[in-house]
Amino acid sequence: MISSQAFVNISFFQPQSFLMTGIPGLEAVHGWISIPFFFIYTVALTGNCLILLAVRRTHSLHQPMYYFLSMLALSDVGLSLSTLPSTLAVLWFDYRSIDFDACLIQMFFLHFFSVVESSVLLAMSFDRFVAISNPLRYASVLTNNVIIRIGVAITTRATLSLLPLPFLLKRLNYCPGKILLSHSFCFHADVMKLACADITVNILYGLYVVLSTVGVDSLLIVMSCSLILYTVMGLASPRERIRTLNTRVSHILAVLVFYIPVIGVSMIHRFGKHLPHLVHALIAYVYLVVPPVLNPIIYSVKSKPIRGAMFRVLRGTDSS
């Protein structure tokens, strides 16, 4: 007769690995699809690393606004590196297997850098609000120590919010025949659907993380933008209003580039279950790949100091 302990051991199953999916329905042309993906990742990593080097080497960019831009670039580098190995492995070599624990690690860092990016965009909104509403106190409010504390708070918040996710997935019992992921990387929502167990806790905690991080950040960013607009409308000179608003354009574009795909992914997961798998895959890639690519382009085009510093880094000349 089998003991109760042995029964527990037999009934609990965790796969050694999952199978990732590339672009559904286009497996025959994965080799060709990998070319634009490789180009996009290269542009994202090169552009964001250039921003980091430009800010580090240019003394005139050692200001709060550019420190926060460096944090944004660093989060974009992390987000790109989180998905690059598995995505290119699937597209180039049709290597679809990912170890269970490696999947959980990738999932943590993928969501970690997404939450960090959302928090950095909020910090940048606060930076612009202080600069526009109270310019005389700007330097005294956003000192280097304050910026360091904000950076530590952002990292701590993302870590504490997301650290339980791998453990919540690790405790679940999985179905032996369900190991196929919907993407070439590991999403929390994607992995938990493979479990043959009650995932209510995972769903509720995942919802809590989204609302308490990205949800709260987006609301505070909207409030900040509204207060900035109210302050700008109080300026007497129309020319001064346009000049002040122009300093916000790059940040507004960065916010839209990040939050529109986030909303798209959320809507697709909640209400788009009837849509083809190809749509789900494309929306997910837009969410993870587009912001790291566009952010360096936006700031290099709209910010003359950043553009000049990046060119000096490329030319290898001294920065001032």
Side-chain angles (χ1 to χ4, degrees):
M1 184 173 178
I2 301 176
S3 67
S4 60
Q5 182 64 40
F7 178 78
V8 171
N9 291 336
I10 292 172
S11 63
F12 186 80
F13 174 80
Q14 278 185 351
Q16 289 187 344
S17 61
F18 292 117
L19 282 180
M20 299 178 290
T21 304
I23 310 294
L26 300 176
E27 290 83 1
V29 291
H30 272 179
W32 292 105
I33 294 173
S34 68
I35 296 173
F37 269 89
F38 178 76
F39 176 76
I40 288 171
Y41 277 120
T42 302
V43 171
L45 292 173
T46 303
N48 285 292
C49 288
L50 275 175
I51 287 179
L52 290 169
L53 288 173
V55 174
R56 184 186 177 196
R57 295 182 180 181
T58 308
H59 183 73
S60 60
L61 298 183
H62 292 179
Q63 302 174 32
M65 173 183 175
Y66 300 112
Y67 287 145
F68 288 129
L69 179 58
S70 295
M71 293 182 194
L72 185 68
L74 194 59
S75 66
D76 281 336
V77 169
L79 192 59
S80 297
L81 292 177
S82 297
T83 59
L84 183 151
S86 59
T87 298
L88 292 184
V90 170
L91 295 179
W92 274 349
F93 310 111
D94 196 31
Y95 186 82
R96 300 170 57 201
S97 178
I98 182 169
D99 184 75
F100 181 82
D101 290 328
C103 180
L104 298 186
I105 292 170
Q106 182 190 48
M107 179 209 69
F108 172 81
F109 281 107
L110 188 156
H111 292 301
F112 171 84
F113 286 112
S114 294
V115 171
V116 167
E117 182 150 345
S118 176
S119 302
V120 171
L121 289 171
L122 174 59
M124 295 174 81
S125 289
F126 175 69
D127 167 77
R128 290 300 86 201
F129 172 70
V130 174
I132 292 172
S133 64
N134 203 342
L136 296 179
R137 294 192 58 199
Y138 178 67
S140 61
V141 171
L142 286 170
T143 62
N144 287 343
N145 284 335
V146 169
I147 294 170
I148 291 172
R149 290 175 185 173
I150 291 174
V152 171
I154 288 172
T155 305
T156 304
R157 177 203 193 197
T159 302
L160 294 180
S161 296
L162 295 167
L163 193 59
L165 288 184
F167 297 100
L168 288 175
L169 290 172
K170 190 85 171 173
R171 71 183 178 86
L172 294 175
N173 183 29
Y174 291 83
C175 303
K178 292 175 66 177
I179 59 171
L180 184 63
L181 298 171
S182 301
H183 308 286
S184 59
F185 41 80
C186 296
F187 265 143
H188 173 253
D190 198 19
V191 175
M192 73 178 182
K193 289 177 182 177
L194 302 180
C196 289
D198 184 5
I199 58 173
T200 303
V201 174
N202 296 71
I203 293 172
L204 292 177
Y205 189 76
L207 182 62
Y208 161 75
V209 170
V210 171
L211 293 178
S212 64
T213 55
V214 177
V216 170
D217 292 347
S218 59
L219 288 176
L220 292 176
I221 288 173
V222 170
M223 289 176 58
S224 172
C225 290
S226 301
L227 291 172
I228 288 173
L229 187 60
Y230 177 79
T231 302
V232 170
M233 290 299 104
L235 298 175
S237 169
R239 187 175 181 179
E240 186 68 16
R241 292 176 192 171
I242 294 173
R243 188 190 69 80
T244 304
L245 285 174
N246 194 48
T247 64
R248 288 280 299 165
V249 171
S250 54
H251 178 253
I252 291 173
L253 290 175
V255 168
L256 293 175
V257 162
F258 177 76
Y259 281 103
I260 288 177
V262 166
I263 294 170
V265 168
S266 300
M267 297 294 286
I268 286 290
H269 273 287
R270 299 294 183 275
F271 309 111
K273 295 180 181 179
H274 63 285
L275 294 173
H277 291 304
L278 178 61
V279 176
H280 287 259
L282 292 178
I283 293 293
Y285 283 120
V286 168
Y287 160 60
L288 292 172
V289 175
V290 170
V293 173
L294 290 186
N295 283 336
I297 297 173
I298 290 170
Y299 280 96
S300 62
V301 170
K302 296 299 299 181
S303 175
K304 187 176 179 180
I306 284 290
R307 183 168 64 250
M310 290 173 73
F311 279 131
R312 285 193 293 273
V313 170
L314 288 173
R315 290 196 301 262
T317 57
D318 292 333
S319 300
S320 58

